[in-house]
Amino acid sequence: MRKPMIAGNWKLHKTCSEALELVNELKNGVIDIRDVEIVVAPVYTTLSTVSAAIEGTNITLAAQNCYPEATGAFTGEVSPAMLADVGCRYVIIGHSERRQLLGESDEFINCKAHALAEADMGIILCIGETLEEREADQMLDILRRQVRLGLKGLDEAAMASLVIAYEPVWAIGTGKTATDEQAQEAHAFIRALIKEHYNQEIAAQTRILYGGSVKPGNVDALMTQPDVDGALVGGASLKAADFARIVAFEKQ
Ligand code: PEP
């Protein structure tokens, strides 16, 4: 049985005081929820503040990125162990904004996955096709490549705390959501790929989140799809009431 996960990616938003205000409001909004893993991924500079604010609650902390080395001459970077030290349980890797804006390759993302596994941290691996790739009928090839290279060399133990987020790039921050059927088709394909790379048990246990303009108004239908195990939410996670409503989704 896969426990649903709803994760909020706050991207480059919120100062410490704003982050505190948001998370305090969210805490109250989700106080009764036990059957969903609720995750927030704030900006690095606010992690300690948010970490202290969610101690003892049902909200888990994630970081939006990491560097695949423990320590060293890597100016501006932060290691998995440092993120664990401030209370992060998960790290998002492979987000399309980092792939596109910062040129991150599947190989580099895979290095991060290994560093996170070594540090015993959960991984949220983002994958997804661009509009051009979808229109050129390359979606399945892109997903196949991103799964193969992103998971390369990860053992079964690492897979136990790995979550995949399918985020069609054309749906991120655009207000365009994949239809429920498009999401289900991609998720079922990704699960089949995991079975191919590992086995049926791992495929059945791996959570696959949908990301791309998830809102209170479309989450219920998305979560009704059998292979959609949660959501990675950008814009709507910046409003406590909206995010709380997404967390409290109702299958149709
Ligand atoms: C995201 O950043 O991962 C995302 C899905 O953003 P949005 O919900 O705003 O489309």
Side-chain angles (χ1 to χ4, degrees):
M1 190 55 179
R2 301 184 292 269
K3 184 174 184 175
M5 173 188 280
I6 303 288
N9 173 12
W10 293 2
K11 306 194 186 190
L12 186 51
H13 295 285
K14 306 292 176 188
T15 61
C16 275
S17 61
E18 290 165 350
L20 193 58
E21 194 181 329
L22 174 59
V23 80
N24 280 335
E25 201 184 329
L26 180 63
K27 271 196 303 195
N28 294 328
V30 299
I31 201 160
D32 294 326
I33 307 246
R34 292 276 158 246
D35 49 358
V36 175
E37 188 170 10
I38 307 166
V39 179
V40 293
V43 172
Y44 280 150
T45 51
T46 68
L47 284 172
S48 292
T49 303
V50 175
S51 182
I54 60 176
E55 211 180 315
T57 71
N58 54 351
I59 302 175
T60 300
L61 193 64
Q64 297 176 19
N65 180 39
C66 70
Y67 194 73
E69 294 288 342
T71 56
F74 304 104
T75 303
E77 298 296 344
V78 179
S79 73
M82 289 165 183
L83 295 169
D85 188 46
V86 291
C88 291
R89 166 79 192 94
Y90 291 97
V91 176
I92 298 170
I93 58 173
H95 194 281
S96 63
E97 285 154 13
R98 299 195 65 85
R99 289 181 192 260
Q100 293 197 319
L101 300 174
L102 299 160
E104 291 196 2
S105 65
D106 286 306
E107 289 74 12
F108 186 51
I109 292 160
N110 180 249
C111 290
K112 296 186 192 196
H114 280 273
L116 288 164
E118 264 167 49
D120 220 9
M121 295 187 74
I123 298 164
I124 301 176
L125 171 65
C126 301
I127 60 173
E129 81 287 359
T130 63
L131 187 59
E132 296 71 48
E133 289 162 345
R134 176 172 275 264
E135 286 176 347
D137 228 3
Q138 293 169 346
M139 177 185 107
L140 300 183
D141 289 341
I142 297 296
L143 295 181
R144 190 178 285 112
R145 190 201 74 217
Q146 291 178 339
V147 166
R148 181 171 56 82
L149 297 178
L151 301 183
K152 194 170 176 185
L154 286 187
D155 62 17
E156 295 191 6
M159 287 302 289
S161 48
L162 182 135
V163 176
I164 291 185
Y166 168 62
E167 301 205 300
V169 180
W170 48 271
I172 297 180
T174 58
K176 285 186 198 153
T177 323
T179 63
D180 309 333
E181 294 73 26
Q182 284 172 326
Q184 170 57 26
E185 183 200 2
H187 283 225
F189 180 70
I190 293 163
R191 201 174 302 288
L193 288 175
I194 298 169
K195 183 177 170 191
E196 215 174 283
H197 286 282
Y198 295 92
N199 55 49
Q200 171 60 33
E201 199 184 329
I202 291 187
Q205 95 194 357
T206 302
R207 290 177 292 182
I208 306 174
L209 315 184
Y210 171 78
S213 299
V214 176
K215 306 268 183 277
N218 59 23
V219 67
D220 295 348
L222 284 163
M223 289 302 295
T224 303
Q225 300 303 312
D227 286 294
V228 176
D229 305 313
L232 180 55
V233 185
S237 69
L238 296 171
K239 290 187 189 134
D242 283 1
F243 192 63
R245 169 60 185 86
I246 292 170
V247 167
F249 66 86
E250 284 172 20
K251 290 196 182 201
Q252 293 173 332

